[in-house]
Structures are given as C-alpha cells and as structure tokens.
Amino acid sequence: GDVYKRQNIYNDSCARGYTMDKLSRMRREAGSAYPSPGEVDAWAEGLLIGSEKVAVEGAVLDDMPIRVPFGNSPNTLVNRYVKFTASDGRRPFYGYWQPALNTPAPLLINLPGYGGSITMHPQIADLGYHILHVSPLGYVTPEKTRDELALPDGNWPVLPNTAAGIPGGYGDWLSDCLLAIRWAQARPEVLPRRLSLFGTSQGGGGSLLLASILGPERVRCVCADLPFLTDFPGSGLEGDAYSLLQPIYEAVPAADFWRRLGYVDTVSHAHRLTMPVLLSAGGEDATCPPRTVERLFQSLSGTRQYTYLEHQEHTHSRSSMYLFSAWLRLYA
C-alpha cells in the first residue's frame, strides 16, 4: 500500500510539473505576442466607433417564452423577445427584454454563457432594473436554438473563429451587443446613464469586455461570475471551454494565435476597467479555473471585489445572484 501511495504521489507531482511547464511556455508565447495597452485601446475604440455607424431596429415580439406546461409567473406576462436587425446586413439576432415595474429605471445588460441560451433573472429584475439579455450572432431564436450554426461537436464557433482570425468571432459578437445596448438605452423608460453589465462564464467575460469598450463614463459597474475569456495562457487551453482552442493552436502560428486572443482576453483590458468590478471563482470549477480569475483581479485597479467560493462548480448559482444583487445596489 505504501508503494502504491508513493507512486501516486510521484505521478501527481509529475503531472503538476508538466502543467507548470506548459503554462510557463504558453505565458512566454503570449507575452511576446499579446497586444500592447495602446493597441487594445485602439481595438476597443474601433469596435465602438464601427458599431455607431450601423443603424439597428429592435422589434418587440409577441412571443411568450414560458408556456403553461412549464408554469408561469407574473413577470413573463410582460417580458418579451426582441428581434434586432442591423443596416449592414448581418444575421438578425435576438434579445430578451425584462422591463422594470416602476420607470424610469436603470438598465442592466445580461450576457449568455458559452451556448445557445437566453436566461431570465427575476430575482434581479424585481430589484427595480430593466434587464436586456442579449444572444449575439443569431444562435437563439424565440422558436429554437439554431444548432445548424454550431460546430460538428455541438459547440459554438465564436471562440475558435476568433483564434483563427475568421468572421463570426468575438469582434462580431461584441458588435451585436453594442447595437442591442444602444437600442435599450434609447427607450423612454430607461435611464440611459445608469448602465451596468453582468453575467456568468462567457457572460461574465463578455460583460468585462463590453465595459472596457464603453468605458467608465458609460458603465457604472460590472458583475463577472466565473468569467470566461480570462487569462488564456493561464488556462493551459484545458477544461471544457478553453480546450476548444487546442485544434487552432496546433494549426496556426503561435504568434498569430496569441495575438488574436490577446484582444479578447479580459486581462488585456484591466487598465480600462476602472469602474467597480465584482469577480467570483469556484474552487470546483475546472472550466474557468480560479487562477485565471485571480490573475485578472490582481491586474485591476480601483474598486473591486473577488469572492472565492470553495465548493462552487461552473454554473449559475444562488450565491452569484446574491453577489450580483449586493454589488448592483451599491453601484448600479
């Protein structure tokens, strides 16, 4: 028994050593390829300016997503899908509008995790905010998830497309979000200067990127729960999400690969995230490991909070709802 125990300890040590060697190599590669702060500034400003040149129409639909077989609630009697159509001919995409009871009210933007989903947060809506959940790139419609847009393995192409430098990456994803935000801010019942963003996983990472693009003069605060798109080299390209990048990493020059990802790495945007930022990580989260979130937290300045939830897996949780609520009450 002692022999096997010693052998297991040796194997674990070798595995940790291999992982550290891999992370060190990836950090070296990324360090020489990642864009400079000035290049990130230009990229963010270019996305914002580009989106402002595109007209957008938002049609509030009659579709009610919650049907009788799945129960109902008072909120769903007023919540509605919104179809967004842009003047540049991009694929239409959808949002889900949750209006506040009393108006005018602040605006919250909620973004999806890495999948074809639209989520509702009645606990947050009941605190007196308008919420627009945006589903970029047309992955979700009121009738169905458009699985034909997915990769053969069922995952969505937005992350691999980003690393490969082809259309349908996060530049397009974020541009859709910017159009939807502009639509929501123009609504008469919205306080346009009271904008905040929140989300889990990709939703958290996307919220941070959008906050960077819009800047502290437009965004009051951000809540990023278990944020994806954070410290790509520190992920080792492992786990259910970051491993989607492995085939691209093996197929394109390393410098191109890391430079493209560097523009959508939330750590690259830390110098721009000077509004209050809430971060959380889960001790049992193998998808977006805590070390990546901690790297971002250490890079931030200004008002910030990091909560480590020891037994939290990679999923929405009641804990995140309470964290969101408190942070939004303080700053939104």
Side-chain angles (χ1 to χ4, degrees), residues 14-275:
C14 289
R16 286 195 297 273
Y18 170 77
T19 299
M20 292 305 297
D21 289 345
K22 180 180 180 182
L23 295 182
S24 296
R25 170 172 54 82
M26 289 187 170
R27 288 203 185 280
R28 287 195 302 272
E29 292 176 350
S32 60
Y34 260 40
S36 68
E39 290 172 321
V40 171
D41 292 342
W43 179 86
E45 292 162 10
L47 269 180
L48 182 59
I49 292 171
S51 72
E52 291 172 344
K53 296 177 181 178
V54 179
V56 62
E57 292 185 3
V60 179
L61 307 180
D62 290 332
D63 300 78
M64 187 175 294
I66 305 297
R67 301 292 190 254
V68 172
F70 298 99
N72 209 326
S73 72
N75 288 337
T76 60
L77 299 176
V78 295
N79 296 346
R80 289 292 184 271
Y81 278 103
V82 182
K83 181 178 181 180
F84 294 106
T85 306
S87 62
D88 61 359
R90 71 183 68 189
R91 181 186 297 123
F93 62 99
Y94 292 84
Y96 187 65
W97 179 242
Q98 299 173 256
L101 178 61
N102 297 310
T103 62
L107 173 64
L108 304 182
I109 301 298
N110 180 231
L111 299 173
Y114 201 87
S117 64
I118 283 182
T119 57
M120 295 176 286
H121 294 280
Q123 308 96 325
I124 307 298
D126 285 345
L127 296 178
Y129 305 100
H130 300 297
I131 302 178
L132 177 64
H133 181 108
V134 186
S135 180
L137 301 180
Y139 289 165
V140 174
T141 75
E143 295 80 23
K144 64 176 183 176
T145 299
R146 295 192 62 185
D147 294 325
E148 70 273 16
L149 301 178
L151 298 169
D153 64 1
N155 284 299
W156 300 99
V158 58
L159 180 61
N161 286 4
T162 301
I166 60 178
Y170 276 108
D172 296 331
W173 192 96
L174 292 163
S175 180
D176 280 359
C177 293
L178 290 169
L179 296 183
I181 291 171
R182 192 193 328 147
W183 171 86
Q185 286 183 305
R187 293 184 66 84
E189 67 269 35
V190 169
L191 294 169
R193 296 183 181 275
R194 298 280 297 276
L195 168 67
S196 298
L197 303 105
F198 74 104
T200 297
S201 189
Q202 178 187 245
S207 294
L208 291 162
L209 293 176
L210 282 168
S212 167
I213 293 166
L214 291 166
E217 66 278 5
R218 296 184 182 91
V219 175
R220 292 179 66 90
C221 70
V222 187
C223 304
D225 178 44
L226 317 175
F228 187 40
L229 311 177
T230 297
D231 191 19
F232 287 105
S235 74
L237 307 186
E238 297 174 345
D240 292 340
Y242 290 107
S243 62
L244 293 174
L245 291 166
Q246 290 178 4
I248 311 300
Y249 179 68
E250 296 167 0
V252 303
D256 294 338
F257 174 87
W258 290 116
R259 183 167 181 80
R260 291 164 183 157
L261 290 177
Y263 283 107
V264 296
D265 188 329
T266 61
V267 177
S268 298
H269 293 256
H271 67 287
R272 298 174 58 87
L273 295 169
T274 56
M275 69 289 291

Side-chain angles (χ1 to χ4, degrees), residues 277-282 290-291 293-294 297 304-308:
V277 174
L278 167 72
L279 301 174
S280 65
R291 65 175 178 269
V293 185
E294 290 162 7
F297 180 74
R304 63 202 187 277
Q305 176 176 310
Y306 170 64
T307 301
Y308 175 81

